[in-house]
Amino acid sequence: MEKNTLIAIVLSMAVLLAWSFLFEPEKAETPKQVVEQGEQPSATPPPSSAPQAQAPVAESGSVTPPATVSGRVPRIIEVDHPLYVAKFTEQRATIESFKLRLFTETVDTNSPMLELCKSKDPVITLGFLNKTVPDISFALFAADQSNVDLTSKGGPQTLTFNWTSANGVQIIKRYTFHPDSYLIDMDVTLRNLSGGLLDENMEVQLNGAPFEAVPGYYNNPGILTLINNEVDAEEVSSIEKQEILSGEIHWVSYHDNYFMMAVVPDGAVRGSVRMNPAEGNQIRVDLVTPPVKLPNNMETLYGYHLYFGPRQLETLKALNLGLERAVDYGFFDIIAKPILFLLKWLHKGLKNYGLAIIIVTIFIKILFWPLTQKSYNSMKGMKALQPHINKLREEYKDDKQRLNSEMMALYKSNKVNPMGGCLPMLIQIPVFFALYRILGQSIEMRHAPFMLWINDLSAPDRLPVGFHIPYTGGLPILTLLMGLSMFIQQKMTPTPGDPTQAKMMMLLPVFFTFLFINFPSGLVLYWLVNNILSIGQQYYVNRKA
C-alpha cells in the first residue's frame, strides 16, 4: 500500500507537470467555425443590434483630403511617451515600432528596450471584406504632425492620419495618447464621397510574433478573446486551420508569457474574430465589425482602444475594460493570486523577490507545521509496526483480501495513518504549481534578481563557468543544492521496511534534481528552503523522540 501510494504521488506530479507544459485549462465553450483549406468563410458576421453611428459629411471642420504626390516617401512619426517610444508610419497609418521604457530585452545592463513589434507585418492594420473600399495595403496617408512628445507636456495628445482613395472613399485614423497609460485610443472615420452606396465590413487586423524567447521551460504565445463574456484561449501552435468565433466581442489580444497587444472595441460589438493559421511564429487575428451601409456623403465612426504593454493585473484592472481577465493562472488561480499578492507586499519592504519567496516559504511551513508534525510521527509509527506487518505478509501471503483487512486493523489499533508519510509532499503540490504559474506568467518576476549569479528568478539558475556544459550550458548550483537537501531529508526520514520502497525513496532526490534543472530558479529556491525547514523539523522530531 505504501509503495503504491508513493508511486501514485510521483506519477501524479509527472502528469501535472506534463499538463502544465502542454495544456491550458478550458476557458469557455465558445462555438467555433473551422474553415478548411480552400474554403471561403462568410464575410458577414452575425447581425448587429445597431449599426455604427452615421452622420452627414460635415461642411466645415473636416480634414482636407491630402493631395496625391507621386513618389512621396512616407514619414516616420515618433511618439515619445513616459512609458514607451513608438514609431508610426504614414504607410497604412500604422505602428512600425513600439518599445517599452520600463522593460528590457535581456537582463544585461546595456540591453535595449523591449520591442513589441516583432511581426514581419504591421501590428495593427485595417481591411475591408466586401472590397467596395480599395485595398489600403499600399495607401500612403498624410499625418498632421511630424512628432508627438508626451514627456514634457501634460494631457492627452492626438496624431491624425488621412487618405482618400481614387473612387472617393476617405479614411481618417486618429490615435490619442494618454501620458500616464499604455492605452491608446484609435478612432477610424469612414467617409463616403464616392457618389454611390458603400456596403462594407471593416476589420482590424492584429499581427503578432513572440516578443521574447523564454529560456528553458514555459512559453505559450497565443490569442485571447473575451467573447460572450467568456475568455477563449488559443495557442498559436494549435491553430492549424482558420477558426472563426462569433458573438459579442469585448476584446481580442495576442500575448506571450509577460506582454500583450489588445484591440478593444469602444463598447462590445456583435461581430466575429477570425484566427488564421500561423506562418512560422507569425500569427494574425482579425476583428470583423458588423456590416454597415453608408450612402453617399455620409460617414461612420469606429472607436477602439489599443493596449500594448505588460500583462500586469493591477495595470489592466485600472483600465476598466475587462482586460484583467487575460491574467489567469489556470487551475491553481485561487492559490496563485493570494501568493502573488503576498510576494508583492513583501517586495515593497524587502526590495528582493528572492527574499520574499523565502519569507513566503517560511510562512507556508509554519501554516502546515501541525500537519507535517503529524506526518513525521506517523512515519515513526509505521517503522515501529514494520515487524508486525512483515509477519502478517508471511502469514497471509496467499490471501490478499485477509492481509489488507488485518493490516488496516493493525493501523487502526495503533492509530497510524499509512498515507501520513506522503502528506508533506501532497500539501506542497498546490503551492508548487501556483508558484510555477506565478514565475512563468507574472511580469513582476521577469528579470527579478536574487543574489550572486541568480539575476532572473523566472529563468533557470546557471552559474557561468567559462565553457559550455551539455544540456544546461552552465552549472545549476541551486538545483544541485536542492537535490542534496532532498537526499539529506530522505536519510533523516524513518526508512520503510519494504526494501523496494526504501530504494524508490532514495531515488527521489535524483529524479527531482533532473526534473528541476530547467525550472525557474525562484521555484527551485522555494523547494530548497522548504527542504531545509523540513530537515530542521525532522531533526527536532527525532531528537524529541
Side-chain angles (χ1 to χ4, degrees):
M1 181 183 296
E2 303 94 331
K3 181 173 68 177
N4 292 339
T5 302
L6 179 62
I7 293 171
I9 290 172
V10 174
L11 289 177
S12 297
M13 287 200 70
V15 170
L16 283 169
L17 285 169
W19 168 81
S20 292
F21 273 109
L22 302 175
F23 302 103
E24 289 284 345
E26 291 294 327
K27 305 282 181 149
E29 291 297 326
T30 306
K32 299 175 186 175
Q33 176 186 351
V34 179
V35 181
E36 297 286 347
Q37 193 77 19
E39 286 187 17
Q40 292 297 322
S42 170
T44 307
S48 172
S49 57
Q52 295 281 358
Q54 299 183 17
V57 174
E59 293 297 328
S60 61
S62 60
V63 178
T64 306
T68 302
V69 181
S70 177
R72 181 167 68 87
V73 177
R75 291 182 299 166
I76 302 297
I77 295 89
E78 184 168 299
V79 178
D80 201 4
H81 189 281
L83 298 175
Y84 56 82
V85 177
K87 291 182 180 179
F88 287 71
T89 174
E90 288 184 313
Q91 189 72 50
R92 302 177 74 170
T94 188
I95 304 172
E96 187 176 80
S97 171
F98 203 97
K99 296 181 178 180
L100 304 181
R101 288 187 181 276
L102 304 182
F103 303 94
T104 56
E105 294 279 355
T106 67
V107 294
D108 295 338
T109 54
N110 58 348
S111 175
M113 292 183 288
L114 181 73
E115 173 66 80
L116 292 188
C117 297
K118 293 187 176 177
S119 169
K120 63 182 180 181
D121 298 314
V123 291
I124 294 287
T125 55
L126 300 181
F128 295 90
L129 295 183
N130 299 339
K131 308 303 180 185
T132 58
V133 175
D135 184 10
I136 66 170
S137 299
F138 301 100
L140 186 56
F141 283 71
D144 66 343
Q145 51 187 312
S146 57
N147 62 78
V148 179
D149 185 3
L150 288 94
T151 59
S152 57
K153 300 176 183 178
Q157 294 192 49
T158 300
L159 174 63
T160 302
F161 296 88
N162 84 68
W163 171 79
T164 302
S165 69
N167 69 341
V169 176
Q170 187 178 7
I171 299 174
I172 303 170
K173 292 177 73 174
R174 294 184 181 89
Y175 295 96
T176 302
F177 311 96
H178 305 274
D180 57 349
S181 174
Y182 290 101
L183 202 67
I184 301 172
D185 301 328
M186 183 181 77
D187 296 328
V188 180
T189 299
L190 183 62
R191 182 174 290 171
N192 183 12
L193 305 174
S194 66
L197 178 68
L198 201 63
D199 185 2
E200 263 304 349
N201 290 87
M202 192 183 81
E203 60 182 1
V204 180
Q205 300 164 348
L206 178 62
N207 295 286
F211 307 127
E212 59 180 346
V214 177
Y217 79 118
Y218 177 88
N219 188 23
N220 268 336
I223 295 169
L224 289 174
T225 306
L226 184 59
I227 182 168
N228 300 325
N229 208 33
E230 296 287 347
V231 176
D232 179 89
E234 303 289 339
E235 293 180 14
V236 169
S237 58
S238 70
I239 304 173
E240 298 177 351
K241 299 173 183 178
Q242 189 181 84
E243 297 181 8
I244 298 177
L245 306 176
S246 298
E248 189 174 64
I249 303 162
H250 300 265
W251 50 259
V252 61
S253 74
Y254 171 81
H255 71 92
D256 71 358
N257 284 24
Y258 303 111
F259 302 95
M260 65 184 293
M261 303 185 299
V263 180
V264 186
D266 192 8
V269 296
R270 289 200 63 80
S272 61
V273 172
R274 187 172 56 212
M275 293 171 283
N276 302 282
E279 297 180 4
N281 62 355
Q282 312 281 318
I283 192 77
R284 195 188 90 194
V285 56
D286 305 327
L287 171 57
V288 184
T289 62
V292 62
K293 295 183 184 295
L294 198 63
N296 188 44
N297 285 324
M298 298 288 286
E299 65 181 31
T300 187
L301 177 67
Y302 300 88
Y304 300 94
H305 306 286
L306 307 179
Y307 178 84
F308 286 26
R311 287 177 70 191
Q312 189 172 37
L313 189 61
E314 291 79 3
T315 301
L316 296 172
K317 195 171 184 178
L319 301 175
N320 200 29
L321 295 171
L323 284 170
E324 67 274 9
R325 295 181 66 179
V327 181
D328 186 358
Y329 298 107
F331 187 76
F332 297 97
D333 190 79
I334 193 170
I335 301 173
K337 284 182 178 175
I339 291 177
L340 178 60
F341 174 82
L342 184 55
L343 286 171
K344 289 165 68 174
W345 181 77
L346 289 168
H347 181 263
K348 289 180 181 179
L350 299 171
K351 307 301 181 185
N352 187 304
Y353 273 110
L355 294 178
I357 289 173
I358 292 173
I359 298 298
V360 167
T361 309
I362 294 172
F363 172 76
I364 292 170
K365 191 66 179 177
I366 293 172
L367 188 65
F368 290 113
W369 181 280
L371 287 175
T372 51
Q373 190 78 358
K374 190 174 181 181
S375 169
Y376 291 144
N377 291 331
S378 180
M379 284 188 284
K380 279 191 167 295
M382 284 292 294
K383 185 179 181 181
L385 291 178
Q386 201 61 48
H388 302 284
I389 293 172
N390 291 338
K391 287 181 181 179
L392 291 174
R393 282 174 176 161
E394 182 64 28
E395 185 176 352
Y396 301 107
K397 60 183 178 181
D398 297 324
D399 189 347
K400 296 293 184 183
Q401 186 174 355
R402 179 69 184 274
L403 174 62
N404 287 334
S405 176
E406 291 293 332
M407 286 176 65
M408 292 305 295
L410 181 66
Y411 295 145
K412 187 175 181 180
S413 62
N414 287 274
K415 298 180 180 179
V416 171
N417 182 0
M419 293 185 64
C422 303
L423 195 60
M425 186 176 293
L426 284 173
I427 61 178
Q428 288 183 66
I429 290 176
V431 178
F432 172 86
F433 282 103
L435 275 172
Y436 176 80
R437 287 289 189 174
I438 289 170
L439 289 159
Q441 293 178 246
S442 296
I443 189 68
E444 292 85 358
M445 301 298 160
R446 179 185 180 268
H447 295 176
F450 175 40
M451 60 184 295
L452 302 176
W453 70 94
I454 303 173
N455 56 9
D456 186 357
L457 287 166
S458 68
D461 106 88
R462 297 289 186 268
L463 176 64
V465 290
F467 58 90
H468 180 76
I469 299 177
Y471 184 60
T472 62
L475 280 177
I477 298 295
L478 200 65
T479 311
L480 294 174
L481 290 174
M482 185 275 300
L484 178 62
S485 68
M486 283 197 73
F487 178 77
I488 295 171
Q489 188 180 1
Q490 291 294 342
K491 293 295 287 185
M492 293 180 66
T493 303
T495 55
D498 186 349
T500 304
Q501 186 181 355
K503 289 178 182 178
M504 286 184 62
M505 292 295 289
M506 294 309 297
L507 282 174
L508 272 182
V510 178
F511 170 75
F512 271 79
T513 300
F514 278 100
L515 195 65
F516 275 58
I517 279 179
N518 283 324
F519 280 179
S521 54
L523 195 62
V524 181
L525 177 64
Y526 160 74
W527 204 268
L528 170 62
V529 173
N530 186 77
N531 287 347
I532 293 172
L533 295 173
S534 297
I535 289 169
Q537 187 176 9
Q538 185 67 60
Y539 176 79
Y540 169 78
V541 170
N542 292 347
R543 188 168 181 178
K544 185 179 179 181

